[in-house]
């Protein structure tokens, strides 16, 4: 089953072959170092929680050469892996603990080292242990003065990763479940699949899924910061990583260091609002693509709708598999994450219209993390667990159907899927969610750079504007990027230079500065 439109720019858009490491556990907390600040524990307002036990705050990570993952290569000699123990339940800080896996490449210039720079590449569910070594060349300048640190958030991969289905079950759902049901039978199968997915998570992952909230991961970050010996958290979040960064700033405003939020999730949106934002964003990106081909938005959109309707009636055989309308839509979506992939979309659409679905299916597999042997990663499992632990909303099928006219009007291509997705996502999830939408206010925090791209399909620019305002005056500093794609760092020399100047030298741009064609103009 295709899940919510997501994926970190560094992982899915550039097509990196992700590798990682199997981290070793940290010590048992018997270290003697004295960190500068003590993280809070339970789910309480900032500053009101008791201190964590010394067995956690006194940990000293045991950095060792990273082991090669199954089917992958070991990261280079400069990379080391470790893990830090964190409470499963921060309301019970002396209780059960789980590991948070880390990977680190130390700063080259030790005499000018600023500290650690932690990365989250999005998802939710993306493995920083896997992604950072592959993406690190983009951050080479930052590595001069920062230790680059990636991590697997709780519920992801090596950090008690959530598992909900095996490969055969995943493949069967993709092939048989219609993501835009047209009949009562298809609707029943769609809703049952969502329920079965949640039940599988509960059966295979137990109590972990009740504690995979973003706020708990933010608390983990503060313990990691503390154990690494950093007075403040320096952080780079992309896509979902911006939601995590904002959660950290809200909980620990006094511990916020230099922080960049790129491709920003709208903190004011509930589950329906996120679906609406993405419907607008993906159609906007599709329109920009279609205009670039000379076909035009209206004509090109109608052409794609006809193809999807044809595949809904009769999927295209591709070997022993079939290209369904849902898989075709997935293949289309991933190409819109980066303008560099638009040529792939042109080729795949032309091929499908000739009766060959090979390229669109390959693109869908790329998005769904399915390898040539039919093995899927568990990112979609972690993504569902984190999203449903965060959101208290559980839209019904009736509510989803009521959205169809509006969403179809916003995007005939993506609207029906994203309207139905509101009900298929967390319906009948086995644990309650935390809130309808998070509080991103961070009074007392230092300036946080909030970066939005005008043609971003998954996190439209308007979300960055709202995030900057929610963080608060003098905290959220909006930086605009006039361009295409999901995430601006590394794609715009102006954005990259502005971010580097902020992270390396503390230079904060004027609010509303906009990068266009490689140059910046000041905001109001």
């Amino acid at each position: 089953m295709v899940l919510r439109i997501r994926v970190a720019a560094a992982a899915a858009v550039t097509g990196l072959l992700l590798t990682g490491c199997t981290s070793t556990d940290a010590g048992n907390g018997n270290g003697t170092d004295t960190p500068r600040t003590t993280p809070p524990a339970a789910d309480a307002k900032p500053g009101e929680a008791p201190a964590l036990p010394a067995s956690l705050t006194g940990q000293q990570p045991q950095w060792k050469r990273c082991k090669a993952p199954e089917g992958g290569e070991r990261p280079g000699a400069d990379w080391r892996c470790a893990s830090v123990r964190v409470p499963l339940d921060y309301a019970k800080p002396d209780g059960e603990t789980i590991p948070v896996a880390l990977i680190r490449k130390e700063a080259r210039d030790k005499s000018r080292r600023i500290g650690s720079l932690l990365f989250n590449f999005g998802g939710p569910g993306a493995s920083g242990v896997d992604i950072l070594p592959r993406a690190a060349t983009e951050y080479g300048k930052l590595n001069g003065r920062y230790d680059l640190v990636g991590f697997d958030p709780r519920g992801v991969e090596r950090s008690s990763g959530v598992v909900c289905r095996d490969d055969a079950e995943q493949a069967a759902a993709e092939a048989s479940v219609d993501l835009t049901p047209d009949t009562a039978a298809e609707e029943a199968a769609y809703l049952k699949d969502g329920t079965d997915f949640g039940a599988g998570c509960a059966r295979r992952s137990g109590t972990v899924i009740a504690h995979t909230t973003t706020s708990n991961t933010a608390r983990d970050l503060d313990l990691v910061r503390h154990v690494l010996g950093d007075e403040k958290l320096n952080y780079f979040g992309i896509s979902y990583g911006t939601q995590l960064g904002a959660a950290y700033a809200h909980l620990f405003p006094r511990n916020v260091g230099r922080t960049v939020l790129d491709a920003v999730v709208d903190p004011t949106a509930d589950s329906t609002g996120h679906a609406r934002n993405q419907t607008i964003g993906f159609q906007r990106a599709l329109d920009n693509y279609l205009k670039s081909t000379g076909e035009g938005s209206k004509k090109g959109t109608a052409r794609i709708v006809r193809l999807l309707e044809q595949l809904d009636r009769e999927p295209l055989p591709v070997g022993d598999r079939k290209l369904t309308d849902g898989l075709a839509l997935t293949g289309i979506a991933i190409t819109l994450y980066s303008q560099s992939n638009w040529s792939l979309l042109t080729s795949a659409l032309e091929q499908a219209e000739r009766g060959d679905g090979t390229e669109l299916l390959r693109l869908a597999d790329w998005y769904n993390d399915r390898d040539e042997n039919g093995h899927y990663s568990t990112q979609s499992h972690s993504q569902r667990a984190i999203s449903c632990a965060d959101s208290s909303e559980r839209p019904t099928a009736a509510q989803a159907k009521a959205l169809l006219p509006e969403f179809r009007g916003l995007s005939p291509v993506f609207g029906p899927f994203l309207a139905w997705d509101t009900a298929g996502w967390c319906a009948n999830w086995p644990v309650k969610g935390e809130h309808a939408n998070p509080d991103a206010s961070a009074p007392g925090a230092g300036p946080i750079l909030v970066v939005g791209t005008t043609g971003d399909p998954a996190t439209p620019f308007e979300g960055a504007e709202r995030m900057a305002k929610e963080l608060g005056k003098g905290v959220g500093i909006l930086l605009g990027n006039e361009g295409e794609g999901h995430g601006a760092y590394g794609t715009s020399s102006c954005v990259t230079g502005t971010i580097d100047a902020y992270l390396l030298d503390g230079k904060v741009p004027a609010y509303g500065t906009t990068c266009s064609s490689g140059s910046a103009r000041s905001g109001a």
Side-chain angles (χ1 to χ4, degrees), residues 114-119 146 225 230 232-236 255-260 503:
I114 297 170
S116 305
L117 180 62
L118 275 75
F119 289 81
Y146 282 103
R225 171 201 63 77
D230 291 303
K232 293 184 180 292
L233 177 74
N234 301 306
Y235 176 81
F236 200 131
N255 295 347
V256 171
R258 296 174 186 176
T259 297
V260 174
L503 288 174

Tab-separated table of all heavy atoms in Angstrom, residues 114-119 146 225 230 232-236 255-260 503:
chain	number	residue	atom	x	y	z
A	114	ILE	N	33.045	23.908	16.284
A	114	ILE	CA	31.907	24.535	16.947
A	114	ILE	C	31.205	23.562	17.869
A	114	ILE	O	30.801	23.901	18.978
A	114	ILE	CB	30.918	25.085	15.894
A	114	ILE	CG1	31.589	26.189	15.062
A	114	ILE	CG2	29.652	25.616	16.560
A	114	ILE	CD1	30.777	26.621	13.852
A	115	GLY	N	31.055	22.319	17.424
A	115	GLY	CA	30.362	21.299	18.205
A	115	GLY	C	29.770	20.259	17.280
A	115	GLY	O	30.247	20.064	16.158
A	116	SER	N	28.715	19.583	17.736
A	116	SER	CA	28.018	18.595	16.922
A	116	SER	C	26.923	19.288	16.126
A	116	SER	O	26.318	20.255	16.584
A	116	SER	CB	27.392	17.521	17.814
A	116	SER	OG	28.347	16.920	18.660
A	117	LEU	N	26.648	18.766	14.919
A	117	LEU	CA	25.509	19.201	14.108
A	117	LEU	C	24.696	17.964	13.799
A	117	LEU	O	25.135	17.088	13.050
A	117	LEU	CB	25.976	19.883	12.826
A	117	LEU	CG	24.874	20.380	11.887
A	117	LEU	CD1	24.021	21.448	12.564
A	117	LEU	CD2	25.473	20.925	10.584
A	118	LEU	N	23.502	17.860	14.417
A	118	LEU	CA	22.658	16.688	14.238
A	118	LEU	C	21.703	16.897	13.069
A	118	LEU	O	21.175	17.998	12.876
A	118	LEU	CB	21.878	16.386	15.513
A	118	LEU	CG	22.634	15.542	16.541
A	118	LEU	CD1	23.685	16.357	17.258
A	118	LEU	CD2	21.688	14.890	17.539
A	119	PHE	N	21.469	15.823	12.310
A	119	PHE	CA	20.630	15.870	11.117
A	119	PHE	C	19.426	14.948	11.264
A	119	PHE	O	19.539	13.837	11.796
A	119	PHE	CB	21.415	15.395	9.890
A	119	PHE	CG	22.470	16.342	9.420
A	119	PHE	CD1	23.716	16.396	10.031
A	119	PHE	CD2	22.235	17.192	8.341
A	119	PHE	CE1	24.701	17.266	9.599
A	119	PHE	CE2	23.208	18.067	7.899
A	119	PHE	CZ	24.448	18.106	8.522
A	146	TYR	N	32.134	21.302	12.216
A	146	TYR	CA	31.152	20.533	12.990
A	146	TYR	C	31.432	19.037	12.889
A	146	TYR	O	31.834	18.539	11.827
A	146	TYR	CB	29.739	20.740	12.441
A	146	TYR	CG	29.066	22.036	12.810
A	146	TYR	CD1	28.970	23.071	11.883
A	146	TYR	CD2	28.488	22.211	14.065
A	146	TYR	CE1	28.320	24.258	12.196
A	146	TYR	CE2	27.836	23.392	14.389
A	146	TYR	CZ	27.759	24.417	13.460
A	146	TYR	OH	27.111	25.586	13.774
A	225	ARG	N	22.225	15.355	22.959
A	225	ARG	CA	23.009	16.592	23.051
A	225	ARG	C	23.845	16.620	24.323
A	225	ARG	O	25.047	16.918	24.316
A	225	ARG	CB	22.072	17.805	23.020
A	225	ARG	CG	22.771	19.128	23.337
A	225	ARG	CD	21.804	20.188	23.802
A	225	ARG	NE	21.125	19.854	25.041
A	225	ARG	CZ	21.650	19.933	26.248
A	225	ARG	NH1	22.899	20.337	26.409
A	225	ARG	NH2	20.958	19.586	27.324
A	230	ASP	N	27.480	18.828	24.288
A	230	ASP	CA	27.181	20.124	23.682
A	230	ASP	C	26.266	20.935	24.582
A	230	ASP	O	25.237	20.440	25.052
A	230	ASP	CB	26.498	19.913	22.326
A	230	ASP	CG	27.448	19.338	21.290
A	230	ASP	OD1	28.486	19.967	21.040
A	230	ASP	OD2	27.153	18.255	20.739
A	232	LYS	N	24.468	23.479	23.656
A	232	LYS	CA	23.237	23.709	22.908
A	232	LYS	C	23.167	22.746	21.733
A	232	LYS	O	24.204	22.229	21.282
A	232	LYS	CB	23.161	25.157	22.411
A	232	LYS	CG	23.015	26.187	23.542
A	232	LYS	CD	22.855	27.588	22.990
A	232	LYS	CE	22.722	28.607	24.119
A	232	LYS	NZ	21.449	28.446	24.875
A	233	LEU	N	21.953	22.502	21.243
A	233	LEU	CA	21.759	21.593	20.114
A	233	LEU	C	21.855	22.373	18.811
A	233	LEU	O	21.044	23.258	18.543
A	233	LEU	CB	20.394	20.921	20.198
A	233	LEU	CG	20.063	19.996	19.010
A	233	LEU	CD1	20.866	18.704	19.111
A	233	LEU	CD2	18.577	19.688	18.942
A	234	ASN	N	22.855	22.059	17.999
A	234	ASN	CA	22.939	22.563	16.639
A	234	ASN	C	22.301	21.511	15.734
A	234	ASN	O	22.660	20.321	15.806
A	234	ASN	CB	24.392	22.816	16.239
A	234	ASN	CG	25.060	23.809	17.167
A	234	ASN	OD1	24.572	24.907	17.372
A	234	ASN	ND2	26.181	23.401	17.762
A	235	TYR	N	21.380	21.933	14.874
A	235	TYR	CA	20.478	20.964	14.254
A	235	TYR	C	20.125	21.388	12.834
A	235	TYR	O	19.917	22.575	12.553
A	235	TYR	CB	19.213	20.869	15.102
A	235	TYR	CG	18.119	19.979	14.564
A	235	TYR	CD1	18.162	18.601	14.753
A	235	TYR	CD2	17.032	20.517	13.874
A	235	TYR	CE1	17.147	17.781	14.267
A	235	TYR	CE2	16.023	19.700	13.393
A	235	TYR	CZ	16.089	18.342	13.586
A	235	TYR	OH	15.083	17.543	13.099
A	236	PHE	N	20.027	20.383	11.935
A	236	PHE	CA	19.619	20.600	10.548
A	236	PHE	C	18.498	19.610	10.248
A	236	PHE	O	18.729	18.415	10.172
A	236	PHE	CB	20.811	20.359	9.606
A	236	PHE	CG	20.683	20.980	8.244
A	236	PHE	CD1	21.727	21.733	7.722
A	236	PHE	CD2	19.544	20.814	7.473
A	236	PHE	CE1	21.637	22.313	6.464
A	236	PHE	CE2	19.440	21.383	6.212
A	236	PHE	CZ	20.489	22.139	5.707
A	255	ASN	N	17.978	25.582	25.116
A	255	ASN	CA	19.037	24.701	24.622
A	255	ASN	C	19.178	24.742	23.104
A	255	ASN	O	19.934	23.955	22.535
A	255	ASN	CB	18.773	23.257	25.065
A	255	ASN	CG	18.848	23.089	26.570
A	255	ASN	OD1	19.332	23.975	27.275
A	255	ASN	ND2	18.352	21.971	27.071
A	256	VAL	N	18.425	25.626	22.449
A	256	VAL	CA	18.474	25.725	20.991
A	256	VAL	C	19.746	26.436	20.554
A	256	VAL	O	20.020	27.559	20.986
A	256	VAL	CB	17.238	26.474	20.448
A	256	VAL	CG1	17.400	26.778	18.963
A	256	VAL	CG2	15.977	25.667	20.691
A	257	GLY	N	20.533	25.746	19.741
A	257	GLY	CA	21.695	26.369	19.130
A	257	GLY	C	21.362	26.817	17.717
A	257	GLY	O	20.238	27.224	17.425
A	258	ARG	N	22.326	26.754	16.830
A	258	ARG	CA	22.090	27.138	15.435
A	258	ARG	C	21.260	26.052	14.764
A	258	ARG	O	21.686	24.898	14.677
A	258	ARG	CB	23.417	27.364	14.732
A	258	ARG	CG	24.179	28.542	15.328
A	258	ARG	CD	25.573	28.710	14.738
A	258	ARG	NE	26.290	29.762	15.459
A	258	ARG	CZ	27.562	30.091	15.237
A	258	ARG	NH1	28.259	29.455	14.307
A	258	ARG	NH2	28.128	31.044	15.953
A	259	THR	N	20.083	26.427	14.298
A	259	THR	CA	19.090	25.463	13.819
A	259	THR	C	18.562	25.885	12.455
A	259	THR	O	18.172	27.043	12.270
A	259	THR	CB	17.924	25.353	14.812
A	259	THR	OG1	18.419	24.841	16.059
A	259	THR	CG2	16.834	24.439	14.297
A	260	VAL	N	18.549	24.925	11.527
A	260	VAL	CA	18.019	25.149	10.182
A	260	VAL	C	16.861	24.194	9.945
A	260	VAL	O	16.979	22.984	10.184
A	260	VAL	CB	19.105	24.921	9.109
A	260	VAL	CG1	18.515	25.023	7.705
A	260	VAL	CG2	20.242	25.918	9.276
A	503	LEU	N	25.260	28.885	9.964
A	503	LEU	CA	25.736	27.789	10.805
A	503	LEU	C	27.198	27.954	11.203
A	503	LEU	O	27.584	27.616	12.328
A	503	LEU	CB	25.545	26.455	10.076
A	503	LEU	CG	24.107	25.946	9.947
A	503	LEU	CD1	24.064	24.684	9.080
A	503	LEU	CD2	23.492	25.662	11.316
